[in-house]
Amino acid sequence: MNNKFAERKYVIQAIFIAIGVLFLFRLFYLQIIDEDLKIAAMNNTTRPITEYAKRGVIYDRKGNPLVFNQVAYDLNVDLKEIKNIDTTELCSLIAISKEQFIDKMRKLSYADPSFQKQISPETYAALQEKLYKFPGFYLQKRTIRKYPKPIAAHVLGYVGEVSDNLIKKNPYYKSGDYIGTLGIEKYYENDLRGQKGVKKMLVNRFNRIIGSYKEGVYDTAAVDGLPLMTTLDAELQEYGEKLMQNKKGSIVAIEPSTGEILVLVSSPTYDPNLLVGRKLSETYTALSLDENKPLINRATLGQYPPGSTFKLINGLIGLQEGAITPETRFGCNRGYTVGNFHMGCHAHFSPLDLREAVQHSCNAYFAATFRASIDKGSESTETRFNKWRDYVVSFGLGSRLPSDYLNQETGYVPTVKYYDKYHGKGYWKSLTIVSLAIGQGEMSVTPLQLANMTAAIANRGYYVTPHLVKMVNDKPIDNPEFHRVRKIPIDSANFEVIIDGMYNVVESGTAAGGKLKNIPFCGKTGTAQNPHGDDHSIFIAFAPKDHPKIAIAVIVENAGFGATYAVPVASLLIEKYLTDTITRPQMEEKLINANLLKSKNTGEKTAGNFQ
Amino acid sequence: MRKQQGIFNNIDWVIVGIYLVMVLLGWMNIYSAAYNPDHASIFDFSQRYGKQMLWIGIAFLIAILALIIEGDFFSGIAYIFYGITILLLLAVLVLGKKVNGARAWIDIGGFSLQPAEFAKFATCLAISKYLSAVEFKIKDIKSVAPIGALILLPVVLIMLQPDVGSDLVFASFVFVLYREGLPGGFLLYGFLAAVLFVFTLIIDKVDLICALMSLCFLSYLILKKDIDTTIYFTLLTIVSSVICLYFLNHTITIFLSNTIGKYITIDSPDILVYLAFFSMLYMMINVLINRIPKDTWLFLAPLAIAIVMVFSVNYAFSHMQQHQQDRINILLGKKSDPKGTEFNIIQSKIAIGSGGVFGKGYLEGTQTRAKFVPEQSTDFIFCTVGEEWGFVGSLIVIALFLVLLIRIIHVAERQRSVFTRVYGYGVASILFFHLAINVGMAIGLAPVIGIPLPFFSYGGSSLWSFTILLFVFVKLDAYRFQVLR
């Protein structure tokens, strides 16, 4: 028996045990100490699949959809899986050239896997059948906006891809997500977007999905966006856009008692369906290069001198301040003359009282009224001016309205500081700034402010901030601003005097051309002087005279005297809104056919005649 | 001498019990690793777990057969069986089907067999047979040469397939030979050679050789037991090196590039080069002054061998196939390729590491379910254990193996028959090597070499060959009372 080396069994056993212990140490480290491996395991086996939420549908005030969603498919690429594909066949399927294919492949990344956005339904059908031939390519379901009628583009805004800047600021958004970029889509983004869902899917080592992770306990379902009901009247909006076609300008109509915006037209406009998905950037560029600037919302960004419409405010201030009474008469001999100063006026009988002055839009009368308001009592011009200005500002002029449409300009109501700087402190008096009496000079308003001002007059002394959305998810909107009555510190009796004058404007004054048979309505024409070209035609109105249902402001750029274009537009809209009929098809037809845009060929305007 | 009464008489129930537990655990883990929800039954023969049940059934028959056969049959048939295996290894080179680049499998009547699996058993038997007749002496060429031939013949044939994993297992016989009288130095030098082998792959060869020279000098001085001289020469070496490095480096570099620089490209010498140079210089001076050339060779000879080894390993490595180089480089941390070769090892570590203390629970392993680890029911079966049973499960499995190995050695040592003892050590060594390489690979301590984990991995050939290996030993042990010598 060879037992000389029997002791060596201990050496061998020791080696066996040593290796076993070494393994256990290693396992202890891997399984208990090293946390990285557990995280790696989690990342390894799961892949988050985003479920995009349906964006909320936007309705008009009667429940007609203005925007809804349509299903679109993006062709995405998973770079990990892509291999050996027949490039030629794929290119012909999605109708791109080989160069485009190479270019697209180069731009792909794991963060942004989209290869071709919103492929057409035909391509989708053809592609789906053959997709198995192109490993790595898959179709991602998305929803994009669809507008049943090409209206209210500016109000609704559009939905675009989220910018890199915002992705950094807001972790909710990921590359390729859509976000409301303008208008209602932007202001109500959080309501409309809903909540993206994430499905954690178990994947195998080829990154192929093999089932849901832990039966979906970590999944979050996509929550669809909330439906919005806007204050817009789609039919009226469409009609307004039609009347304004081939003209520059805007219409804003408000329900005076609630501040709900019924119509908000900016012309020229564009088909919102053009600013959807894949076409967006291309169309946007084309639109932004258009010389008529269709992308600009003139109703909120356009700033115009209010012209004669502002005489109403001066009349109201004069009455409230006791500078005049309804019976006060001022003479007018084709204008207002003080020393060397002369402000022209047109031919009418003289002297006029306040109601007649409104009816005939007498410059001299309101120049005198304005001066009487500023110069009343023993206070300084500055103090009186500030008081005057407070009245003006109380109508919502001179600053952005706290509305749900963000893209507004402020308009301008001059300040003491401004005049001190312009004329020198103490070197200006009421006569120096008398152009404010007739809404000219430094002063400017936006059409939205003008409509709101009209609503305040219609309400005899208050307004509710004009807004665009009345219901979110079938519940009245909870923004307190939209339920708050903003009082104007002028007695309602004073408003009645001005309104009488406005009634006469339509009955037998400057807007008689827009008179309606059965609807007593009140209005005021205006002409905004335009140093760059023909004057802008302005008309503000509300109807009916008592318990008004609609207040409206119309501006038609470069259309001359207020009555020419703005009056028939407002008149037709009021008739349509209140009676749902059009009794003057001729007027309608002429308006629709009128083209005030500079023709690219001749540079001439082709104007209709409404005298 | 007792009369034999039944096949289960005198068998070692510890070994058999552990075997049964392991085979059943293996089957359970294969079920989890290969789980197919469309064929969820563990008895579904279209799936690996169903097939494994069949293989286990056959393995039990083989075990019983091994117990039925007379104990002296194995010693008698050892050379014949070895011969048959060699023929099969030759046949597989000609008739075998190529799977994953290796001609390792042979079809026999519908079954696929892997002759390399049986070659381990056959070689083990043959060595046992030879050593039971001839006492192993390292200086006796008559005992060394046949043993070497018995081991090398299958190694060469398997290398031709090629199947590196199976070949490595034959290195396990070093334990058997050590037990039978191979000088311990071989084990030690083998270990040192392995360390040097690893260092050769990690460290630049010039640096390594310089370090070896310095180390040689230092051990020479220390072993001389002359403390004054040691300190004196160590300081002298360091000071000389530093002076050269900081004051003469430029001059020396220019000198070198003007002389030997014409023949080989040289970098500016660094501190290691100077240390090695002065080590060797002072060693020579010391030898000349003290005139003690005799024991100097004890240090210079291993140094020379080490240097030769460094060069030959470097040469061999650079002539390896790319994927083998990659595997070794990844293991050594010199190369990272998480999507390619390194993928398996990373996924394996992730699966095991994600198990935590108690694991994710049976059939709950996410990595296993998602099939992240390739070959998980065969070579990487330990991942399933690690992920689903955690550290506790891994500990139990490793403990089971260690208990089995120690039990086998214990049982081997109680034999009167040299044949059985040598055979027992062979069994333990083969199982140990499989365990070490397979688990070491799964936890990132050994290169990716595809060899199965005994009793756990899926596959008929490996299960049967391990069963034969083990149960022949159980039988030989049960038979020990009928053996006189």
Short mmCIF file of all heavy atoms in Angstrom, two decimals, chain B residues 121-137:
data_model
loop_
_atom_site.label_atom_id
_atom_site.label_comp_id
_atom_site.label_asym_id
_atom_site.label_seq_id
_atom_site.Cartn_x
_atom_site.Cartn_y
_atom_site.Cartn_z
N PHE B 121 -13.32 9.74 -18.04
CA PHE B 121 -13.55 8.51 -17.28
C PHE B 121 -12.55 7.42 -17.66
O PHE B 121 -11.92 6.81 -16.80
CB PHE B 121 -15.00 8.05 -17.52
CG PHE B 121 -15.32 6.67 -17.04
CD1 PHE B 121 -15.20 6.34 -15.68
CD2 PHE B 121 -15.74 5.69 -17.93
CE1 PHE B 121 -15.52 5.07 -15.23
CE2 PHE B 121 -16.04 4.41 -17.49
CZ PHE B 121 -15.93 4.10 -16.14
N ALA B 122 -12.39 7.24 -18.97
CA ALA B 122 -11.51 6.19 -19.46
C ALA B 122 -10.07 6.43 -19.05
O ALA B 122 -9.36 5.51 -18.61
CB ALA B 122 -11.62 6.10 -20.98
N THR B 123 -9.63 7.66 -19.15
CA THR B 123 -8.25 8.00 -18.77
C THR B 123 -8.06 7.80 -17.27
O THR B 123 -7.03 7.30 -16.82
CB THR B 123 -7.94 9.46 -19.17
OG1 THR B 123 -8.30 9.65 -20.53
CG2 THR B 123 -6.48 9.79 -18.96
N CYS B 124 -9.07 8.19 -16.52
CA CYS B 124 -9.02 8.03 -15.08
C CYS B 124 -8.86 6.55 -14.71
O CYS B 124 -8.02 6.18 -13.88
CB CYS B 124 -10.31 8.59 -14.48
SG CYS B 124 -10.29 8.75 -12.71
N LEU B 125 -9.66 5.72 -15.36
CA LEU B 125 -9.57 4.27 -15.13
C LEU B 125 -8.18 3.75 -15.50
O LEU B 125 -7.55 2.99 -14.74
CB LEU B 125 -10.60 3.53 -16.00
CG LEU B 125 -12.00 3.28 -15.43
CD1 LEU B 125 -12.79 2.46 -16.45
CD2 LEU B 125 -11.94 2.54 -14.11
N ALA B 126 -7.68 4.17 -16.66
CA ALA B 126 -6.40 3.67 -17.16
C ALA B 126 -5.26 4.06 -16.24
O ALA B 126 -4.37 3.23 -15.94
CB ALA B 126 -6.16 4.19 -18.58
N ILE B 127 -5.28 5.31 -15.77
CA ILE B 127 -4.22 5.77 -14.86
C ILE B 127 -4.26 4.95 -13.56
O ILE B 127 -3.24 4.50 -13.05
CB ILE B 127 -4.37 7.28 -14.55
CG1 ILE B 127 -4.07 8.11 -15.81
CG2 ILE B 127 -3.44 7.70 -13.43
CD1 ILE B 127 -4.40 9.58 -15.62
N SER B 128 -5.48 4.76 -13.07
CA SER B 128 -5.66 4.00 -11.84
C SER B 128 -5.08 2.58 -12.01
O SER B 128 -4.39 2.07 -11.14
CB SER B 128 -7.13 3.90 -11.47
OG SER B 128 -7.71 5.18 -11.47
N LYS B 129 -5.43 2.02 -13.13
CA LYS B 129 -4.97 0.66 -13.43
C LYS B 129 -3.43 0.60 -13.45
O LYS B 129 -2.83 -0.25 -12.84
CB LYS B 129 -5.53 0.23 -14.79
CG LYS B 129 -5.05 -1.12 -15.28
CD LYS B 129 -5.78 -2.24 -14.58
CE LYS B 129 -5.33 -3.60 -15.11
NZ LYS B 129 -5.89 -4.69 -14.25
N TYR B 130 -2.85 1.59 -14.12
CA TYR B 130 -1.40 1.58 -14.26
C TYR B 130 -0.73 1.81 -12.91
O TYR B 130 0.20 1.10 -12.54
CB TYR B 130 -0.96 2.66 -15.26
CG TYR B 130 0.52 2.54 -15.57
CD1 TYR B 130 0.97 1.57 -16.45
CD2 TYR B 130 1.45 3.39 -14.97
CE1 TYR B 130 2.32 1.44 -16.72
CE2 TYR B 130 2.80 3.26 -15.22
CZ TYR B 130 3.24 2.29 -16.11
OH TYR B 130 4.56 2.15 -16.36
N LEU B 131 -1.24 2.78 -12.14
CA LEU B 131 -0.60 3.11 -10.87
C LEU B 131 -0.84 2.03 -9.81
O LEU B 131 -0.11 1.96 -8.83
CB LEU B 131 -1.09 4.47 -10.36
CG LEU B 131 -0.55 5.68 -11.12
CD1 LEU B 131 -1.10 6.97 -10.54
CD2 LEU B 131 0.98 5.72 -11.09
N SER B 132 -1.88 1.22 -10.02
CA SER B 132 -2.09 0.13 -9.06
C SER B 132 -1.04 -0.96 -9.24
O SER B 132 -0.81 -1.76 -8.34
CB SER B 132 -3.50 -0.45 -9.21
OG SER B 132 -3.62 -1.09 -10.47
N ALA B 133 -0.39 -0.94 -10.40
CA ALA B 133 0.62 -1.93 -10.68
C ALA B 133 2.03 -1.37 -10.50
O ALA B 133 2.94 -2.06 -10.05
CB ALA B 133 0.46 -2.45 -12.11
N VAL B 134 2.22 -0.11 -10.84
CA VAL B 134 3.56 0.49 -10.83
C VAL B 134 3.58 1.67 -9.87
O VAL B 134 2.70 2.55 -9.91
CB VAL B 134 3.94 0.99 -12.25
CG1 VAL B 134 5.33 1.63 -12.23
CG2 VAL B 134 3.87 -0.13 -13.25
N GLU B 135 4.57 1.69 -8.99
CA GLU B 135 4.69 2.82 -8.08
C GLU B 135 5.22 4.02 -8.84
O GLU B 135 6.16 3.92 -9.62
CB GLU B 135 5.63 2.48 -6.92
CG GLU B 135 5.43 3.43 -5.77
CD GLU B 135 6.30 3.02 -4.57
OE1 GLU B 135 6.55 1.80 -4.40
OE2 GLU B 135 6.73 3.92 -3.84
N PHE B 136 4.57 5.17 -8.60
CA PHE B 136 4.94 6.37 -9.34
C PHE B 136 6.20 6.99 -8.75
O PHE B 136 6.26 7.30 -7.57
CB PHE B 136 3.79 7.39 -9.29
CG PHE B 136 4.05 8.60 -10.12
CD1 PHE B 136 3.85 8.59 -11.50
CD2 PHE B 136 4.54 9.76 -9.53
CE1 PHE B 136 4.10 9.71 -12.26
CE2 PHE B 136 4.80 10.88 -10.29
CZ PHE B 136 4.58 10.86 -11.67
N LYS B 137 7.23 7.12 -9.58
CA LYS B 137 8.45 7.81 -9.14
C LYS B 137 8.85 8.79 -10.22
O LYS B 137 9.02 8.41 -11.37
CB LYS B 137 9.57 6.78 -8.91
CG LYS B 137 9.43 6.02 -7.61
CD LYS B 137 10.74 5.28 -7.28
CE LYS B 137 10.60 4.44 -6.05
NZ LYS B 137 10.67 2.97 -6.32
#
